[in-house]
């Protein structure tokens, strides 16, 4: 695995060098240095699980056959496309870009990082909070997103699945942006209403905002590289989406109960009035008096309000409820995976599940 990650990182260096010499744009010294710094700060950090999963999945689909250097490079290039996309989206570089997807006149309501109160990402300050960056991060997000088709065009234009790759990335981006929209319009300042929150709303947000790009995209890339038609693998997509929902529920739990040093960020779901799995379950379990406490304190930034909500979670044993959910989810997913007719696909799905079960970050 260490050797694979080393090869993966070398491919990043190749892709970065090529993008910094892209003939479509006449770089100045300052602009080249800015893009290089922006890429190095945002793209290769973190665990790189999404990107590495393309190589892992492709290798498992080959059922033990040793991959050629060319195959490793191409799978790595696709993995880096996902990491590029993740940097533009999940690491909040496009905190203002979402306003262009939604409604420009209300952009201040949908500045994702600011609405989330995000200060850190992957254990370091968010890019837009660095000196001299600020609003320039808007354009940086656009630049990052536009690097993806440049990479795909250079290395996959002659492949029979090139159009399918473009369709895949475009579709997943649309799904993710739509999920982000649902998330944002449930937390508009001045319209805080816990009665809007339910398990079905939470599931819908998570399915589109997280599951497709965090889980399905990597495997779909590996399937296309293997010559498979995605339309014949709807069952695989459904399992991965369910896995992605389980993953986000874990994230919601860790936002409240996880160690910031371990997870690499400071959780702010309570302050931000997020439609978190924890608050949805709390609403299901609490009595009228407890519900009143939740309504009075959830979504307020004061530490006392946050502490009151966390105390209520303890009172309702939300940690125990989560442990039960995690156990049942694991059993259900394992049953679905073992019911798949392809042992190679089973291996891919079991690999994903094994990486996230009972994770602490």
């Amino acid at each position: 695995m260490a050797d694979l990650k080393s090869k993966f990182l070398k491919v990043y260096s190749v892709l970065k060098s090529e993008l910094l010499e892209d003939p479509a744009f006449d770089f100045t010294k300052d602009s080249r240095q800015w893009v290089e710094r922006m890429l190095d700060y945002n793209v290769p950090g973190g665990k790189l699980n999404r990107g590495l999963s393309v190589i892992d999945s492709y290798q498992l689909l080959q059922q033990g056959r040793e991959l050629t250097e060319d195959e490793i490079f191409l799978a790595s290039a696709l993995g880096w496309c996902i990491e590029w996309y993740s940097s533009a989206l999940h690491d909040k570089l496009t905190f203002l870009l979402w306003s262009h997807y939604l409604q420009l006149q209300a952009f201040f309501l949908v500045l994702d990082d600011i609405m989330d109160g995000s200060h850190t990402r992957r254990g370091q300050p968010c890019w837009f909070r660095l000196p001299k960056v600020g609003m320039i991060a808007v354009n940086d997000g656009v630049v990052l997103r536009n690097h993806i088709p440049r990479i795909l065009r250079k290395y996959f234009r002659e492949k029979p699945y090139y159009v399918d790759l473009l369709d895949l990335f475009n579709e997943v981006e649309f799904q993710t942006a739509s999920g982000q929209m649902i998330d944002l319009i449930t937390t508009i300042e001045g319209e805080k209403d816990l009665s809007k929150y339910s398990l079905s709303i939470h599931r819908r947000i998570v399915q589109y905002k997280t599951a497709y790009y965090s889980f399905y995209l990597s495997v779909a890339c590996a399937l296309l590289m293997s010559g498979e038609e995605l339309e014949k693998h709807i069952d695989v997509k459904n399992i991965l989406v369910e896995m992605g929902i389980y993953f986000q529920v874990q994230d919601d739990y860790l936002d409240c109960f996880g160690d910031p040093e371990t997870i690499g960020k400071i959780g702010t779901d309570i302050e931000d009035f997020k439609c978190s799995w924890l608050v949805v379950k709390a609403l299901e379990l609490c009595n009228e008096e407890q519900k009143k406490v939740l309504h009075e304190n959830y979504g307020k930034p004061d530490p006392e309000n946050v502490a009151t909500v966390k105390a209520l979670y303890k009172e309702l044993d939300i940690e125990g409820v989560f442990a039960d959910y995690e156990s049942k989810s694991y059993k259900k997913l394992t049953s679905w995976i073992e019911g798949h007719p392809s042992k190679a696909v089973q291996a891919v799905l079991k690999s994903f599940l094994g990486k996230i079960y009972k994770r602490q970050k």
Side-chain angles (χ1 to χ4, degrees):
M1 185 63 182
D3 182 55
L4 184 62
K5 188 169 183 177
S6 174
K7 290 182 178 180
F8 188 62
L9 288 168
K10 286 179 181 177
V11 174
Y12 165 75
S13 297
V14 172
L15 298 177
K16 183 185 74 170
S17 296
E18 291 173 344
L19 289 166
L20 292 174
E21 298 295 335
D22 194 322
F25 178 67
D26 185 13
F27 281 94
T28 62
K29 180 181 177 182
D30 287 346
S31 61
R32 183 178 284 106
Q33 287 177 345
W34 180 276
V35 173
E36 182 171 19
R37 175 176 172 241
M38 181 265 290
L39 289 174
D40 287 341
Y41 192 89
N42 294 286
V43 179
K47 300 181 290 290
L48 304 176
N49 284 340
R50 295 177 183 88
L52 288 167
S53 291
V54 179
I55 313 173
D56 288 342
S57 300
Y58 182 71
Q59 191 156 31
L60 289 168
L61 289 171
Q62 305 315 303
Q63 303 183 66
R65 177 178 65 79
E66 187 173 348
L67 302 186
T68 66
E69 289 299 315
D70 185 56
E71 286 177 310
I72 293 173
F73 185 92
L74 290 177
S76 297
L78 286 179
W80 280 115
C81 283
I82 297 173
E83 291 295 336
W84 245 266
Y85 176 58
S86 176
S87 297
L89 168 68
H90 194 62
D91 295 327
K92 318 299 186 182
L93 280 178
T94 50
F95 70 99
L96 186 59
L97 182 59
W98 292 115
S99 66
H100 296 282
Y101 282 130
L102 303 172
Q103 43 186 342
L104 283 171
Q105 70 273 23
F107 76 90
F108 59 93
L109 298 177
V110 291
L111 304 186
D112 195 51
D113 247 354
I114 296 172
M115 285 284 285
D116 285 353
S118 297
H119 288 271
T120 59
R121 173 64 60 182
R122 294 171 172 171
Q124 62 184 10
C126 292
W127 173 247
F128 84 93
R129 291 190 180 277
L130 295 188
K132 300 182 180 179
V133 178
M135 289 292 196
I136 300 174
V138 180
N139 193 66
D140 289 338
V142 177
V143 170
L144 274 177
R145 177 59 185 91
N146 278 276
H147 281 162
I148 297 170
R150 309 298 292 173
I151 295 170
L152 294 177
R153 184 174 183 270
K154 181 173 179 63
Y155 291 105
F156 298 93
R157 183 169 44 173
E158 303 303 323
K159 302 293 182 184
Y161 52 86
Y162 174 57
V163 172
D164 294 315
L165 277 176
L166 293 177
D167 284 346
L168 173 65
F169 274 89
N170 287 334
E171 181 171 286
V172 169
E173 181 177 21
F174 171 70
Q175 289 167 326
T176 308
S178 298
Q180 179 78 352
M181 174 190 67
I182 299 169
D183 189 19
L184 291 169
I185 64 178
T186 60
T187 57
I188 294 177
E189 190 69 34
E191 297 183 17
K192 293 180 177 179
D193 181 5
L194 279 177
S195 66
K196 295 191 298 183
Y197 289 178
S198 65
L199 272 179
S200 61
I201 289 293
H202 178 268
R203 180 183 176 87
R204 189 168 176 80
I205 291 170
V206 171
Q207 175 181 348
Y208 288 100
K209 182 180 175 181
T210 301
Y212 286 110
Y213 102 89
S214 289
F215 284 80
Y216 175 62
L217 184 54
S218 297
V219 177
C221 284
L223 286 168
L224 287 174
M225 270 193 69
S226 301
E228 296 289 332
E229 296 177 25
L230 297 182
E231 293 78 9
K232 295 180 179 178
H233 292 280
I234 301 301
D235 52 348
V236 175
K237 178 194 283 189
N238 292 338
I239 292 171
L240 288 164
V241 166
E242 197 65 33
M243 210 179 293
I245 292 169
Y246 161 49
F247 177 86
Q248 184 58 49
V249 172
Q250 289 177 312
D251 249 21
D252 290 353
Y253 174 82
L254 292 171
D255 184 273
C256 180
F257 296 106
D259 177 10
E261 290 295 321
T262 302
I263 64 177
K265 65 177 181 178
I266 301 167
T268 59
D269 283 358
I270 294 173
E271 295 95 317
D272 301 331
F273 199 74
K274 283 293 183 181
C275 185
S276 163
W277 184 84
L278 276 66
V279 74
V280 168
K281 292 304 292 184
L283 286 166
E284 282 188 353
L285 296 169
C286 63
N287 58 36
E288 288 305 312
E289 184 178 337
Q290 292 168 324
K291 191 173 289 187
K292 183 180 178 183
V293 171
L294 201 54
H295 278 265
E296 289 174 351
N297 291 277
Y298 197 75
K300 295 182 179 177
D302 191 293
E304 286 189 17
N305 297 110
V306 175
T308 300
V309 173
K310 289 187 176 182
L312 181 58
Y313 286 169
K314 289 281 188 181
E315 188 178 329
L316 295 169
D317 190 26
I318 293 297
E319 289 182 87
V321 174
F322 168 77
D324 182 60
Y325 165 84
E326 182 163 51
S327 175
K328 289 178 179 177
S329 294
Y330 181 77
K331 289 177 182 176
K332 177 177 67 175
L333 287 164
T334 299
S335 174
W336 288 352
I337 291 167
E338 291 178 348
H340 195 281
S342 167
K343 293 295 183 184
V345 171
Q346 279 191 34
V348 171
L349 297 173
K350 285 181 178 179
S351 173
F352 268 78
L353 185 56
K355 290 173 185 174
I356 66 172
Y357 182 52
K358 290 189 177 294
R359 70 189 177 93
Q360 299 300 311
K361 61 180 180 178

